[in-house]
Amino acid sequence: MMMYEVKLKRRVEVEGHVYMPNLTGRIRHVVDQATLDALSAADAEAVVEARPIAEGGA
């Protein structure tokens, strides 16, 4: 499963989880593809960058 480090420009809530803005780099969000899709669907303009960082295995 591909994992992504995402940067958000504003707070986004998805399925009861809150993702805070992290443009300063102080907060690191690492999410899977499904969560990235959910963040984009909840607020497409909030996702500033999504950088692939690793291919994980289960």
Side-chain angles (χ1 to χ4, degrees):
M1 162 190 334
M2 186 62 86
M3 301 298 288
Y4 299 87
E5 181 174 0
V6 296
K7 288 187 178 180
L8 304 172
K9 67 178 178 181
R10 62 179 160 258
R11 177 186 179 276
V12 180
E13 185 172 343
V14 174
E15 298 178 5
H17 297 282
V18 176
Y19 297 87
M20 300 301 290
N22 59 337
L23 294 176
T24 62
R26 297 187 71 201
I27 300 171
R28 185 173 186 222
H29 298 299
V30 177
V31 299
D32 61 11
Q33 183 68 54
T35 303
L36 176 58
D37 293 344
L39 286 167
S40 296
D43 188 346
E45 294 181 4
V47 179
V48 175
E49 178 183 358
R51 183 173 59 93
I53 58 170
E55 180 98 25

